[in-house]
Amino acid sequence: MIYLLNALSLLLEIAFDALATLFVLRLLAEAGRADFRNPVSQFVYRYTNPLLAPIRRVLPNWRRINLAALLVCYLVMLVKRVVLFALVGTLPHVAGLLVLALADLLDFVLLFYLVLVFGWSLLSMFGADGYHPVLRLVEAIVDPLLRPLRGKLVVGMLDFAPAVVMVGLLLARILVAAPLFDWGTQLARGF
């Protein structure tokens, strides 16, 4: 029975993370000022706008941060946690759920950035087509992280800025997201 429960929880996590990916893409694309004419950007906009448009009337953007998309991402992570706890049959404390959802969201965004920076640096090493819609969107998303270090960590013909950014993202996962997750787990259990 435990194997079936593990398989079901894996499938639920994949489904919720796929939904969160769509809204995180919208959030980061707007923050990075991605080109709206990009077909991938239009796809993300088309499938997120029906949910975000009513929320944006109440919760407008703050600078370049789409607060409605951030709220929806947080709610997706919160519902994911509730469903996973319900699947196990436990009833956690509300404060623990709220902190766990925040830790999940932070860890998800950091891991998302980590994958994008790694993928972008790998594709740029092999000279991928710079006009490909996915590569242009990824470049618009990772550029704000790489811009402060660009050109400062070049040795020969290698730019180590993506490596430094990836190490920083890994450290943020270890030093910020993991303790927040542990604290949320303690609150959820009632310790």
Side-chain angles (χ1 to χ4, degrees):
M1 186 67 179
I2 189 92
Y3 301 113
L4 183 62
L5 193 63
N6 285 340
L8 187 57
S9 67
L10 174 71
L11 292 175
L12 285 171
E13 283 194 47
I14 289 171
F16 280 106
D17 288 348
L19 184 62
T21 299
L22 196 60
F23 288 99
V24 167
L25 260 176
R26 170 77 182 258
L27 174 73
L28 297 179
E30 282 187 30
R33 293 185 180 173
D35 184 16
F36 179 72
R37 295 169 297 195
N38 185 335
V40 180
S41 299
Q42 289 178 358
F43 171 82
V44 170
Y45 181 81
R46 183 179 311 120
Y47 288 103
T48 57
N49 201 47
L51 184 61
L52 294 181
I55 299 171
R56 287 179 77 166
R57 290 187 200 119
V58 178
L59 192 62
N61 287 1
W62 179 70
R63 297 188 184 189
R64 290 189 307 194
I65 307 295
N66 187 338
L67 294 178
L70 188 62
L71 177 67
V72 170
C73 289
Y74 179 74
L75 291 175
V76 166
M77 293 298 174
L78 186 63
V79 170
K80 178 177 95 169
R81 276 287 153 196
V82 168
V83 169
L84 290 176
F85 273 114
L87 193 63
V88 177
T90 60
L91 184 64
H93 293 296
V94 175
L97 271 176
L98 296 176
V99 173
L100 277 173
L102 180 64
D104 279 343
L105 179 60
L106 179 63
D107 189 55
F108 186 81
V109 170
L110 290 171
L111 184 62
F112 191 76
Y113 260 127
L114 185 67
V115 169
L116 287 183
V117 170
F118 179 75
W120 177 83
S121 63
L122 194 63
L123 287 173
S124 66
M125 277 178 38
F126 292 117
D129 181 19
Y131 294 105
H132 193 276
V134 173
L135 191 58
R136 285 189 327 195
L137 179 64
V138 170
E139 186 172 3
I141 291 173
V142 301
D143 189 55
L145 289 178
L146 295 173
R147 192 177 311 127
L149 299 175
R150 190 163 284 148
K152 295 180 179 142
L153 300 170
V154 178
V155 176
M157 293 183 65
L158 293 176
D159 187 6
F160 288 97
V164 170
V165 167
M166 287 189 286
V167 168
L169 290 168
L170 286 171
L171 285 173
R173 286 188 74 203
I174 293 169
L175 297 174
V176 179
L180 193 61
F181 183 77
D182 290 342
W183 183 49
T185 303
Q186 289 175 354
L187 286 175
R189 291 182 181 162
F191 294 135

